[in-house]
Amino acid sequence: WDDLEEALIGADCGMDASMALVEELREEAQHGRIVNRGEIATGLAKAVTREMSAEPPKISIGAGPTVILVVGVNGSGKTTTVGKLAYRLSELGQQVVIGAADTFRAAAIDQLAIWADRSGAQLVRQGPGADPGAVAFDAVASGTARGADVVLIDTAGRLQTQHNLMEELRKVHSVVGKANPDAPHETLLVLDATTGQNGLSQARLFGQTVPLTGVIVTKLDGSAKGGIAVAIHRELGIPVKLVGVGEKLEDLQPFDAAAYAEAIFSPADAG
Ligand code: GDP
């Protein structure tokens, strides 16, 4: 049981979630439902799956274009994820507009222009340093005027502790609501799996600024297990909707609780 708890903490599930999961499995064992180590792995995968799939990982679709605001700290993978999402949605026949509201980084705008080109999405941009709220508003207005299906808005990276920048994000969120009272339909926090326990603080503080509807865990192709999502779901009730598994446009997948749970505690890592 100690090994198991250690493995869960090592996978970034956090102290509370790890202890609760071990307790749950210990009870199963006491009732004779788990009798050997192999069954612990299966039991754990089931427990995490139950825990993580309380809500189906669907993207809410609204009337008019569905507006998805993408937020997070620097380098978490926001711009890449917006590109991947645009690509995936376009492949599904959706008409996509991308708002380049990360106006701090000229490179982010250029990168988005390339992704938009490759996925056939329309890019709404202004020059570097432009007001991100204005870009977000334009993107929603343009998407509405063109009858687009989805508007994806990339935002600048900011630390959850940077008060001014968090206030700016609050403004972007509210401006989007002025362009369409139902928007944003989704506000997704992009979380780098390798940042470990800090992810919980990111989710908590971003969630206090803008109502988060989901998390996208990126960089799960590396060695990080991304168990932090288990802690976030348990403590804040925010579901994981998508996962990033690489740097290419195709490397975005819908969240699959069972596969995720298995990866957190795959037998190869049990020791
Ligand atoms: P942003 O600052 O949040 O917009 O982050 P970027 O989208 O610029 O991504 C930062 C770095 O992470 C880039 O080098 C991306 O290629 C990389 N990246 C993003 N998502 C993934 C992922 O799922 N897996 C891997 N391996 N790298 C990723």
Side-chain angles (χ1 to χ4, degrees), residues 117-129:
D117 206 35
R118 281 176 59 189
S119 53
Q122 185 221 338
L123 182 69
V124 172
R125 60 187 288 179
Q126 292 182 15

Side-chain angles (χ1 to χ4, degrees), residues 72-82 84 102 105 108 111 115 154-157 190 192 217-222 243-248 251:
V73 304
N74 267 314
S76 58
K78 288 177 302 304
T79 304
T80 311
T81 299
V82 166
K84 289 174 180 175
D102 176 358
R105 275 199 310 150
Q111 187 62 50
W115 295 140
D154 186 28
T155 59
V190 177
D192 178 340
V217 182
T218 62
K219 310 190 192 179
L220 277 179
D221 47 313
V243 295
V245 292
E247 298 188 77
K248 295 194 299 295
D251 296 333

Side-chain angles (χ1 to χ4, degrees), residues 66-104:
T66 297
V67 180
I68 302 176
L69 188 63
V70 178
V71 305
V73 304
N74 267 314
S76 58
K78 288 177 302 304
T79 304
T80 311
T81 299
V82 166
K84 289 174 180 175
L85 251 178
Y87 178 77
R88 194 180 174 91
L89 290 165
S90 301
E91 291 277 289
L92 293 170
Q94 305 271 296
Q95 208 194 326
V96 180
V97 170
I98 300 175
D102 176 358
T103 55
F104 276 112

Side-chain angles (χ1 to χ4, degrees), residues 254-266:
F255 175 67
D256 173 347
Y260 194 72
E262 262 171 53
I264 288 180
F265 194 63
S266 54

